Amino acid sequence: MEPQLSLRRLEIFRLVVEERSVTRAAAILMIAQPAVSSQLRALEKWLGAKLFTRRGSQIELTEAGERANAWAKAILASAAELRRDVDGIESGGGGSVVAAASIGVGSYLLPAVLTRFRERHPGADMTLNVLQPQDALRQISSGEADFAVTTWDADETRTNVHTTVLRDEPVLIVVRGDRRPENRVMSIEEALRLPLVAAPRVVAAQRAVSSQLSLLTDAEPNVVIRLGHPLAAKQAVIDHGWATILPRYVVAADVAAGVLATVEVPGLDLRERIVVAWRRDKVFSKLQQTLVAEIRDRLGEFHRAE
């Protein structure tokens, strides 16, 4: 085996695996395709095994390539974490934390917890990345984030990720404050005939709601528009008198202020599962460990108090 191995070589290898193409990887890196091929050949020489096989116009990993890919992911994730930790030490700060969160959780639940934590740890370097659940999980797998607090996505199970349930949040149908049905409740079918603002079908929370609704009724929701952020959905309800289906934590303040109103629908019990997740081989710093524990305590207490 050659003695030389660089993180850059592993990064190029991982990019080729993700793109399933040397050409696309070279274009992303803005380097010549032969340069990418040269890095792959050097890695194969270092390992003493062929990593790719070609099937038609596609390249696929060999068995050795699969093992090398899993190893490279772990190495690069650990390297990213080490760089952040050392940077915190060198800067004289109190350590660093990078959290990832799904859009609703990262917009409505986590900011208050993180800002209060930061006040008690003034030297800490803290970052919150707000993403779709699958991207949040990808960030913890790659080492870009230390942990994630996200809507549970049943389609995104990863063997290298540990998850703990924080809460099963009630999901409500809400209308503009002056549009609440007077002196009566709605059946599920009546509620679904309201002009609804929904999230895009690819969003994990929307898939979960649709799956739960399908178990309760054959009626199709009357979706008038799909918007990718809960803030946009609420604004559309206010502006146009429509309705939407959102987690309680997203609408609680608006309902309390009378801007929005909940619709009572007997038998409609929708839930959003929220989890905290991290890579199984993740070694938390003291700061990170303390923050994860506080998030679990604070969100759990918030859930029980309601």
Side-chain angles (χ1 to χ4, degrees):
M1 288 188 179
E2 287 187 345
Q4 298 86 8
L5 177 67
S6 67
L7 293 179
R8 177 63 170 169
R9 187 166 293 164
L10 294 182
E11 288 170 345
I12 291 173
F13 167 64
R14 285 282 303 124
L15 184 59
V16 171
V17 172
E18 290 180 355
E19 295 297 324
R20 303 180 69 85
S21 168
V22 173
T23 302
R24 286 197 294 270
I28 291 170
L29 295 169
M30 293 186 291
I31 61 177
Q33 182 175 330
V36 173
S37 298
S38 176
Q39 291 288 336
L40 296 179
R41 286 195 298 271
L43 181 57
E44 288 179 328
K45 187 175 182 181
W46 188 85
L47 288 169
K50 189 173 179 62
L51 301 179
F52 294 97
T53 184
R54 183 167 292 279
R55 180 171 295 179
S57 61
Q58 297 290 319
I59 60 172
E60 297 181 354
L61 288 171
T62 63
E63 184 177 353
E66 294 283 2
R67 294 287 298 274
N69 184 43
W71 173 77
K73 285 172 67 175
I75 291 292
L76 292 172
S78 297
E81 292 170 354
L82 178 61
R83 281 194 294 265
R84 291 203 309 273
D85 292 344
V86 170
D87 182 64
I89 294 170
E90 290 298 307
S91 65
S96 70
V97 180
V98 178
S102 52
I103 291 174
V105 173
S107 299
Y108 292 93
L109 282 180
L110 270 189
V113 179
L114 296 184
T115 52
R116 289 192 183 99
F117 185 86
R118 177 61 175 75
E119 284 185 336
R120 297 196 309 278
H121 299 82
D125 179 7
M126 300 179 63
T127 300
L128 173 61
N129 297 327
V130 180
L131 310 152
Q132 291 295 340
Q134 62 268 29
D135 295 321
L137 293 178
R138 180 190 57 77
Q139 284 207 345
I140 59 176
S141 293
S142 68
E144 296 171 77
D146 298 302
F147 62 89
V149 184
T150 178
T151 300
W152 170 246
D153 187 350
D155 292 340
E156 279 290 326
T157 56
R158 299 185 180 221
T159 57
N160 67 330
V161 172
H162 169 82
T163 59
T164 297
V165 175
L166 292 176
R167 59 201 289 181
D168 286 320
E169 179 73 9
V171 176
L172 311 173
I173 296 183
V174 295
V175 295
R176 196 168 67 192
D178 62 354
R179 292 294 185 96
R180 182 174 185 175
E182 293 292 337
N183 302 319
R184 73 184 189 96
V185 298
M186 281 189 167
S187 68
I188 295 176
E189 289 72 21
E190 287 175 322
L192 294 183
R193 284 198 292 270
L194 293 170
L196 290 168
V197 182
R201 293 181 179 88
V202 297
V203 172
Q206 181 62 47
R207 293 202 309 272
V209 166
S210 298
S211 177
Q212 292 173 67
L213 284 173
S214 70
L215 298 176
L216 299 173
T217 178
D218 293 329
E220 288 292 326
N222 176 28
V223 176
V224 295
I225 193 170
R226 295 183 182 275
L227 300 174
H229 196 287
L231 185 61
K234 291 193 296 182
Q235 193 60 52
V237 170
I238 294 167
D239 291 344
H240 301 283
W242 294 335
T244 191
I245 304 176
L246 289 171
R248 181 172 56 186
Y249 65 79
V250 171
V251 300
D254 303 282
V255 171
V259 177
L260 299 175
T262 58
V263 176
E264 186 178 349
V265 185
L268 186 65
D269 183 19
L270 304 176
R271 299 281 167 163
E272 176 193 45
R273 173 155 290 185
I274 300 172
V275 301
V276 58
W278 59 85
R279 211 174 63 252
R280 290 188 183 276
D281 61 355
K282 168 69 179 173
V283 179
F284 284 119
S285 68
K286 181 64 175 177
L287 181 76
Q288 295 160 0
Q289 188 176 30
T290 303
L291 177 56
V292 170
E294 180 158 331
I295 288 171
R296 294 175 69 174
D297 289 343
R298 289 290 303 279
L299 294 186
E301 288 172 4
F302 181 71
H303 178 49
R304 288 192 294 272
E306 292 181 340

